[in-house]
Amino acid sequence: MATALDTQRLDSVFNSRPDILEDIEKAADSPSRVQLFNKIASFVYEQIGDQKSASSLKRRRVDIEPSHNGSAPGTATKSTVEDVSAENVLLIIKDISVSIPQRKKYELYFTPKHLYASVPGTSTPVSGIVYAWSDIQYAFYLPVPEKAQVQHNYVLFPRNSYSMSRSGTPIEDPLVFTVSAGAPKPGSIGGANAAAAAAVSDSYNDLFHWALSKCLQAAGNNVQITAADPSKFRSKVRQPHRPKEPAVHVKAFRGSKDGYLFFLENGILWGFKKPLMFMPLDKIAAISYTNVLQRTFNMVVELFTGEDGDDATEEIEFAMLDQEDYGEINGNYVARHRLQDRSMADQRKAKRELAENAKGKKGADGEGEDANGHADEDGLTELERAHMEAEQQLQDEEDEDEEDYDPGSDGESEGSGISSDDDDDDDDAAEDEEMDEDGEDN
């Protein structure tokens, strides 16, 4: 009796790829090939299990983590691995580098209700990398900084997946994956809509914008993909890797982690290391500045964290921003979006003064300031005025060092006492300081 194909097992293994099943049936024209295909099906079956009929998996139904994003506790309808696997596969895009939640190459599956990742060669959703289209709240397309070759990250934030406070922990991780500027490789697109996708596959950009937008719209989600626009915001710092291309990010630190700030039309995004953070404009109470130094400054974003009308706020501080970017951030972004600048508020001022004292800056009191630290109405912003004060303190310290070093024309040592000529000496020292300053300027 001739050996027959194990169609039941083949169907369970390749249920989402009818094209493979069809090819197997055509190629199984000899007993040896039939036996080979059956062995392959048995091996794959043992590795991934039969998602539809294995009783062991039915007894331990695995809930898909992201299925409750954006839903109130106790009201979400949970999906399972079986539920998602049973959905029709509209599109498959292979060889995609995912960096969050897990750094690995996956195949991305598009179904009517979900976007999920699977290990190459399988169709099983990877736990924790399954996203319902209806739950996606923000979508971004951003360049990857400090890369010689042009690459972009797609960032999808489900509801409640971005931290609103320093202590807040997102319920779920966003999805972050990287694409090159080129076109997909031949054979890397599959699924029922592969032919339609091929028409928009001149680049990964065209393919994913089309696929993501179509699936979001079909699910009744009107989220738009937000991209960085250099005509709206660009860094003044030159990119060493691609110097002719304007940078749309600002390098900064959050705690000990380095990363990049993107000042976008709907908010500020911090990436690309865990935990990612997106701060929508409507959640920003104020932007202020601390630790204003000659080359860098810190930016503090005050966020509304309360609910139901509660005005509670928390602050997120980003450190070591380049001074060259201050004008673009404060003069362009903050002013254009009418975000309040509270740099000289009591709390900001106290923090900055503590930092300056800790650094040993004990220069003379700034002239022309009132008790609250406000300078005369000279048209300068508070950060620019604070920056000038810091530079003046440094200059005063240098001048004091020079005075201490020069014992004077009479050859008297320092600490020689007070004489009746002190006033004249003070005038001479002031004139010397002015000459020194003029010499430094030249």
Side-chain angles (χ1 to χ4, degrees):
M1 182 176 179
T3 304
L5 285 173
D6 188 348
T7 56
Q8 182 178 359
R9 183 156 295 184
L10 286 167
D11 287 341
S12 64
V13 171
F14 299 108
N15 61 341
S16 64
R17 295 297 302 272
D19 55 326
I20 293 179
L21 288 173
E22 185 178 350
D23 291 342
I24 290 176
E25 291 175 356
K26 291 179 180 180
D29 54 3
S30 67
S32 60
R33 290 189 175 183
V34 170
Q35 186 178 9
L36 175 61
F37 290 139
N38 286 341
K39 286 183 178 180
I40 293 174
S42 296
F43 174 77
V44 176
Y45 176 84
E46 291 173 0
Q47 295 296 312
I48 66 173
D50 184 356
Q51 299 297 335
K52 290 186 177 180
S53 61
S55 59
S56 60
L57 284 180
K58 285 187 177 180
R59 285 195 299 269
R60 60 177 185 88
R61 291 173 66 86
V62 180
D63 291 335
I64 298 301
E65 299 284 349
S67 61
H68 56 75
N69 277 340
S71 302
T75 62
T77 302
K78 294 184 178 181
S79 299
T80 65
V81 168
E82 294 92 333
D83 295 334
V84 178
S85 297
E87 294 180 19
N88 294 328
V89 177
L90 304 176
L91 186 65
I92 304 170
I93 305 178
K94 302 177 182 178
D95 298 325
I96 298 301
S97 297
V98 175
S99 56
I100 294 176
Q102 302 174 21
R103 185 176 294 276
K104 190 175 181 180
K105 275 203 171 184
Y106 288 109
E107 296 179 353
L108 294 184
Y109 278 65
F110 294 69
T111 73
K113 295 182 180 180
H114 294 88
L115 169 66
Y116 68 86
S118 72
V119 176
T122 72
S123 60
T124 307
V126 177
S127 180
I129 316 184
V130 182
Y131 301 87
W133 294 116
S134 59
D135 285 339
I136 302 299
Q137 191 168 8
Y138 296 101
F140 300 98
Y141 175 73
L142 302 171
V144 181
E146 300 184 358
K147 296 288 185 181
Q149 300 296 324
V150 177
Q151 296 179 341
H152 285 79
N153 279 337
Y154 280 92
V155 184
L156 304 181
F157 281 100
R159 302 183 195 282
N160 303 324
S161 68
Y162 50 93
S163 177
M164 281 297 187
S165 69
R166 180 173 47 197
S167 57
T169 301
I171 298 174
E172 301 297 337
D173 284 317
L175 175 64
V176 181
F177 60 90
T178 307
V179 298
S180 67
K185 296 178 181 179
S188 63
I189 301 175
N193 290 339
V200 291
S201 296
D202 291 339
S203 67
Y204 276 110
N205 174 12
D206 293 339
L207 174 61
F208 273 105
H209 270 61
W210 172 80
L212 292 170
S213 298
K214 288 293 184 182
C215 289
L216 287 168
Q217 292 172 7
N221 191 336
N222 61 356
V223 169
Q224 302 295 316
I225 300 174
T226 300
D229 186 351
S231 67
K232 299 290 183 63
F233 183 93
R234 65 168 63 187
S235 172
K236 299 298 183 182
V237 179
R238 185 180 179 185
Q239 293 192 94
H241 295 80
R242 300 197 298 271
K244 295 182 179 180
E245 178 182 327
V248 292
H249 64 273
V250 173
K251 192 168 184 178
F253 284 80
R254 186 184 174 205
S256 60
K257 289 187 177 182
D258 61 328
Y260 308 96
L261 290 166
F262 291 85
F263 295 84
L264 307 170
E265 286 305 290
N266 56 349
I268 303 172
L269 187 143
W270 163 256
F272 290 103
K273 296 179 181 178
K274 288 186 177 183
L276 264 69
M277 174 179 290
F278 178 64
M279 296 162 281
L281 288 178
D282 58 4
K283 292 291 185 180
I284 297 177
I287 290 180
S288 55
Y289 310 95
T290 65
N291 292 351
V292 181
L293 304 177
Q294 184 175 2
R295 296 178 181 269
T296 63
F297 65 97
N298 293 3
M299 183 181 75
V300 179
V301 181
E302 185 179 358
L303 298 173
F304 290 112
T305 58
E307 298 179 356
D308 300 328
D310 186 3
D311 290 335
T313 62
E314 284 201 41
E315 295 178 344
I316 307 296
E317 184 168 13
F318 300 95
M320 302 295 290
L321 281 73
D322 197 298
Q323 274 283 2
E324 290 186 42
D325 288 321
Y326 165 70
E328 190 74 5
I329 294 172
N330 189 68
N332 181 0
Y333 192 82
V334 172
R336 178 157 49 90
H337 293 288
R338 300 180 180 179
L339 301 175
Q340 184 179 358
D341 179 0
R342 297 179 183 174
S343 294
M344 298 303 291
D346 292 340
Q347 186 177 4
R348 303 276 70 74
K349 180 187 174 188
K351 188 172 183 178
R352 180 168 62 85
E353 289 177 345
L354 287 174
E356 290 176 350
N357 291 337
K359 293 179 181 293
K361 292 186 177 181
K362 299 179 180 178
D365 294 337
E367 296 180 0
E369 292 183 350
D370 60 22
N372 293 324
H374 293 288
D376 296 334
E377 295 182 359
D378 50 10
L380 296 177
T381 66
E382 292 171 338
L383 179 59
E384 291 169 337
R385 190 178 299 110
H387 180 51
M388 293 181 62
E389 292 169 7
E391 288 186 336
Q392 183 61 47
Q393 287 180 356
L394 291 174
Q395 183 65 47
D396 291 343
E397 290 177 0
E398 293 176 358
D399 293 342
E400 287 179 1
D401 291 341
E402 291 176 358
E403 290 178 16
D404 293 340
Y405 179 77
D406 186 4
S409 59
D410 294 335
E412 296 178 357
S413 62
E414 294 183 10
S416 59
I418 302 175
S419 69
S420 60
D421 297 331
D422 281 349
D423 292 339
D424 294 337
D425 293 340
D426 290 341
D427 294 337
D428 293 338
E431 292 177 0
D432 291 340
E433 288 177 25
E434 292 178 358
M435 294 178 64
D436 290 343
E437 290 176 357
D438 293 338
E440 290 176 2
D441 292 338
N442 295 330

